[in-house]
Structures are given as C-alpha cells and as structure tokens.
Amino acid sequence: YRDVFEQKTPGIFLVYGLSVELFGRHLWSERLLELLCVVALGLASAFALTVRGERPVRGLLGGSVFAASFLYYGIFDFWNTGQCEIWCAGFCMLALASALRMERERLAGVVSGLLMGIAFVFKPPCATIFPAIVLAYAWRVRGSRLRRALGSLAALGAAAAVAPLAILAYLGAKGALPATRDVLVDGNGYYWKHERGAETASEVVRWVIHYYRMV
C-alpha cells in the first residue's frame, strides 16, 4: 500500500505469500490452498448443520464438500476464482461451526471470534455475515447466567479484534497506515459511491443472466 497501488485487503497477500513459501512460485500454488479452503468450507458447513455432540449423518460431509465445490468451481471462471471471497466464506463458516459445535462454551466464542477477525482482513464487507454468527452463539449461551453469557460474548468480540489490530500494528510499524487508508478506505469508498448497484430484484436477476451469457 505504501509503494504500489493495490486495493485488495491484506489477507489475500498472506495467502499468496504462504503458497509461495510452501510450493514455490507457481500459478497453481495459491490454487492448491484455495482448493483446501473449498473443502474446509464444505466440511464446516456439514458440522454447522449437525447437533453438538453428534456426528454428521451419513453422506452429509461428502455432500457438503460436493456442494461447495460445485457452487464455486462450477459457477465461477478462472478470473473470478483466486479472489478474496472464498476465504471470507470459508473462515465465516468455520466461525459458525466453532460457535455451535465446540464443547467448551467460552473457548467456542474465542475461536469463533478469531476466525471472524481473520475473515475480516480478507474483505471487510464480510462483516455483514457476523451478526448471524454472533446471534447463533448468543442463542447457545442463552442458558448460562447473565454475567457468564455476557462475558462469553465479550470474549468473542475481543477475539474478533485480534487479527485486524495485528495487521494495523504491522502496517503502522512499516509506515504504511496513511497509504493503506488512502487506497482501502478512500479509494474503495469512491468506487463504491460511484458504482451503480442493482436496486430491484428484477435487476439482480437480469444482471446474473447477463453475466452467465458472457461466460
């Protein structure tokens, strides 16, 4: 953000860097990690659908992985994969599964919060999904005493701040915070303000049809 113009958020660069460190400078390096993320998304979905303390019903794990793979690779082309969104979806689903499935209540909140924070550094708009995760966790802790339930929710919120604060601290240490704000906040804000969005359900349908005709 300090030396070049780049509007992607920090999380995806961590994935790219990790893929190069693990597998070398190949085009497939990041795609392999992405494939693992799709599988994790499917598995997390299956566990999120399963009652805590029970095992997923027969076929649910495989069916969920197949559904995640089909809905990702079967719909998006090469350009539209390799982006931030699959990582947002993966970490958000892992956060939901952790909030619902982990045996220890307080630990479930902490892990869920950490995963939500990691999802956020991939793309902040994924925060629109967070209320559903928090509500699911709040429903789980509803039977606890009020003080304990509020403490668990506070632990979730504090954990969610860890990854974003760590990223900000790193960028601050590198003297890159002003440039980061200029690109990620001001630059993307201008793009969001001037880009016309679909305003009705019929427009959404029409644009989706138009997209699939192009690809």
Side-chain angles (χ1 to χ4, degrees):
Y1 305 117
R2 185 190 60 198
D3 301 322
V4 298
F5 184 88
E6 176 53 66
Q7 66 179 137
K8 293 294 184 182
T9 38
I12 194 65
F13 296 108
L14 296 175
V15 169
Y16 290 157
L18 178 62
S19 67
V20 170
E21 288 295 323
L22 291 176
F23 310 115
R25 292 182 176 273
H26 310 290
L27 189 59
W28 55 263
S29 297
E30 188 277 333
R31 301 288 173 160
L32 179 56
L33 291 185
E34 183 180 66
L35 174 60
L36 296 177
C37 181
V38 173
V39 173
L41 171 61
L43 296 176
S45 301
F47 281 102
L49 291 169
T50 303
V51 176
R52 187 170 60 258
E54 297 183 6
R55 300 183 64 180
V57 298
R58 185 179 179 86
L60 182 59
L61 291 173
S64 296
V65 172
F66 173 80
S69 301
F70 175 77
L71 292 173
Y72 189 62
Y73 294 113
I75 293 178
F76 296 111
D77 57 18
F78 185 82
W79 189 91
N80 283 297
T81 54
Q83 304 280 351
C84 306
E85 285 76 11
I86 187 60
W87 294 96
C88 293
F91 280 111
C92 282
M93 187 57 71
L94 285 169
L96 178 61
S98 299
L100 295 174
R101 289 276 303 185
M102 291 188 68
E103 291 296 330
R104 296 173 59 185
E105 188 177 275
R106 181 66 62 86
L107 181 61
V110 171
V111 172
S112 181
L114 287 172
L115 292 168
M116 289 164 60
I118 293 172
F120 184 83
V121 301
F122 275 94
K123 207 159 193 179
C126 72
T128 56
I129 304 173
F130 293 172
I133 302 172
V134 174
L135 284 174
Y137 183 67
W139 181 259
R140 173 181 176 174
V141 301
R142 73 191 187 283
S144 303
R145 290 184 300 176
L146 180 61
R147 184 176 180 179
R148 179 176 176 81
L150 292 177
S152 296
L153 288 168
L156 183 151
V162 170
L165 290 178
I167 292 292
L168 289 176
Y170 173 80
L171 292 171
K174 295 295 184 179
L177 278 180
T180 301
R181 174 188 169 86
D182 182 42
V183 175
L184 296 186
V185 179
D186 299 336
N188 284 332
Y190 184 90
Y191 171 79
W192 174 80
K193 182 178 180 180
H194 292 83
E195 182 74 11
R196 180 182 177 275
E199 298 177 356
T200 65
S202 61
E203 281 189 319
V204 172
V205 173
R206 186 167 66 251
W207 287 13
V208 170
I209 293 174
H210 174 68
Y211 170 78
Y212 284 114
R213 284 177 176 172
M214 288 193 301
V215 298

